[in-house]
């Protein structure tokens, strides 16, 4: 249960009996969530933190600079991305230890969620430097709430490996965890050009189950499409997606009827997603742990029965 809200003498709303220091009022690192599409979603406290910082760390200055310029923020920008984070971290920690206030943003959404910053946060904590955050937009959580799938528990997986074999192996590990008792809604980020292929692999590896594809959240062409994994794979194979993608997959269990979890259903889903007979058998064998020859023989039988 959330604490009741009240307003102070300046009209600021905050939780009763709780106070928070002004953003950027002390040395250290503040993680600041930024809009995932609609620039109007930048929170007032986030804006104040960015103004008060000695520098704003960002993935790409070409993305963050227009956002700050829109709001009249002239704070210096410093790039922090996957290629320079390890080298830059000691220098940034030293600056904060000397009394500087740094803000960390990603290109969009909440920092560290499939974005850089983890190494810096860990190093700052290890040195006893204050780390705080200004909450805000997050594509994964928004997609989850719009999906119509169970909101908790959920497991955020970020991006799957881009290559088919590695992607299938990662999904096979997830399926093994489900067989061991994991029952959670799964959340992934995916590039639009890989969406149909990923959905097809999921249909094979995880079996038929409900899912949702959330696209362009908070933007003009926002869309949430719901269906089974195989249905969504077929749709996006015929109509390629554009924009930022979040993929939400229902948990194993009651949402996956026993009849749909059979070997035949997995093979049909893989074939419907466009896999060849041999590739479908290989993917299903990896997902189920069954001998590949046995699965291939069953796939041949299904093809003959059609």
């Amino acid at each position: 249960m959330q604490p009741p809200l009240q307003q102070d003498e300046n009209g600021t709303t905050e939780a009763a009996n709780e106070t928070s220091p002004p953003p950027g009022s002390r040395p250290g690192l503040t993680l600041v969530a930024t809009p995932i599409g609609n620039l109007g979603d930048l929170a007032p406290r986030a804006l104040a933190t960015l103004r008060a910082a000695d520098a704003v760390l960002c993935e790409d200055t070409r993305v963050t600079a227009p956002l700050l310029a829109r709001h009249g923020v002239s704070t210096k920008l410093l790039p922090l991305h996957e290629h320079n984070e390890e080298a830059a971290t000691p220098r940034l920690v030293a600056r904060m230890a000397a009394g500087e206030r740094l803000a960390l943003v990603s290109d969009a959404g909440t920092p560290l969620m499939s974005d850089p910053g983890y190494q810096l946060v860990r190093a700052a904590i290890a040195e006893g430097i204050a780390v705080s955050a200004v909450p805000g937009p997050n594509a994964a959580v928004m997609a989850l709430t719009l999906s119509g799938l169970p909101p908790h528990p959920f497991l955020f997986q970020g991006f799957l490996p881009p290559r088919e074999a590695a992607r299938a192996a990662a999904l096979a590990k997830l399926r093994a965890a489900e067989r061991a008792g994991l029952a959670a809604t799964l959340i992934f980020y995916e590039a639009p050009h890989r969406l149909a292929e990923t959905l097809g692999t999921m249909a094979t590896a995880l079996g038929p189950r409900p899912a949702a594809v959330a696209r362009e959240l908070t933007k003009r062409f926002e869309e949430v499409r719901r269906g089974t994994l195989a249905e969504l794979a077929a749709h996006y194979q015929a109509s390629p997606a554009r924009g930022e993608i979040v993929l939400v997959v229902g948990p194993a269990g009651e949402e996956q009827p026993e009849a749909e979890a059979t070997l035949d259903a997995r093979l049909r889903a893989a074939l419907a997603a466009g896999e060849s007979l041999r590739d479908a058998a290989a993917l299903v064998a990896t997902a189920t742990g069954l001998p590949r020859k046995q699965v291939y023989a069953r796939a041949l039988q299904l093809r003959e029965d059609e």
Side-chain angles (χ1 to χ4, degrees):
M1 180 177 179
Q2 297 292 331
L5 300 179
Q6 65 181 19
Q7 286 191 335
D8 62 19
E9 62 273 15
N10 297 317
T12 301
T13 301
E14 61 183 12
N17 301 319
E18 295 182 10
T19 59
S20 58
S25 63
R26 58 178 179 172
L29 179 65
T30 304
L31 315 181
V32 181
T34 54
I36 58 177
N38 190 320
L39 296 184
D41 290 338
L42 186 65
R45 200 164 74 92
L47 188 55
T49 300
L50 297 173
R51 285 197 175 110
D54 292 300
V56 174
L57 311 176
C58 60
E59 285 185 83
D60 190 335
T61 57
R62 296 168 298 180
V63 173
T64 303
L67 174 66
L68 299 192
R70 172 188 171 95
H71 294 281
V73 178
S74 57
T75 307
K76 182 179 180 179
L77 295 176
L78 297 176
L80 185 76
H81 45 72
E82 61 179 335
H83 302 297
N84 76 343
E85 184 177 0
E86 182 176 359
T89 290
R91 182 176 67 254
L92 295 172
V93 169
R95 291 179 61 165
M96 290 184 287
E100 290 197 24
R101 299 162 297 185
L102 301 182
L104 171 65
V105 301
S106 61
D107 284 349
T110 299
L112 275 67
M113 302 302 291
S114 285
D115 293 316
Y118 173 71
Q119 292 184 60
L120 178 61
V121 168
R122 289 289 300 169
I125 292 171
E127 292 298 319
I129 293 170
V131 179
S132 59
V134 179
N138 179 269
V141 172
M142 182 176 178
L144 174 65
T145 59
L146 295 177
S147 68
L149 297 169
H152 56 79
F154 69 85
L155 179 61
F156 175 67
Q157 289 287 296
F159 285 94
L160 287 167
R163 294 186 180 278
E164 172 65 21
R167 186 188 310 133
L171 289 170
K173 289 181 180 178
L174 271 177
R175 187 67 191 106
E178 289 180 332
R179 287 195 291 268
L182 174 68
T185 296
L186 308 174
I187 307 175
F188 305 86
Y189 290 158
E190 188 52 282
H193 65 278
R194 289 196 298 264
L195 179 60
E197 183 180 2
T198 295
L199 285 164
T201 305
M202 286 181 170
T204 302
L206 303 178
R209 64 176 76 181
V213 172
R215 186 178 68 85
E216 292 291 84
L217 293 175
T218 78
K219 301 178 185 178
R220 179 181 178 184
F221 297 106
E222 176 178 306
E223 175 190 52
V224 180
R225 182 173 292 274
R226 305 169 184 87
T228 66
L229 287 169
E231 290 169 347
L232 291 171
H235 172 81
Y236 287 108
Q237 186 68 45
S239 303
R242 294 182 178 181
E244 302 293 329
I245 304 292
V246 184
L247 177 54
V248 187
V249 181
E254 293 181 357
E255 289 77 17
Q256 184 183 14
E258 288 298 323
E260 293 183 332
T262 63
L263 176 61
D264 289 2
R266 289 178 182 273
L267 286 168
R268 290 192 176 100
L271 293 169
E275 300 290 347
S276 68
L277 199 67
R278 187 174 298 278
D279 288 343
L283 289 169
V284 172
T286 299
T288 61
L290 294 172
R292 184 171 299 192
K293 289 183 178 180
Q294 175 186 336
V295 178
Y296 184 69
R298 183 55 188 164
L300 285 173
Q301 185 62 52
L302 289 176
R303 175 66 60 85
E304 293 175 359
D305 292 342
E306 291 180 353

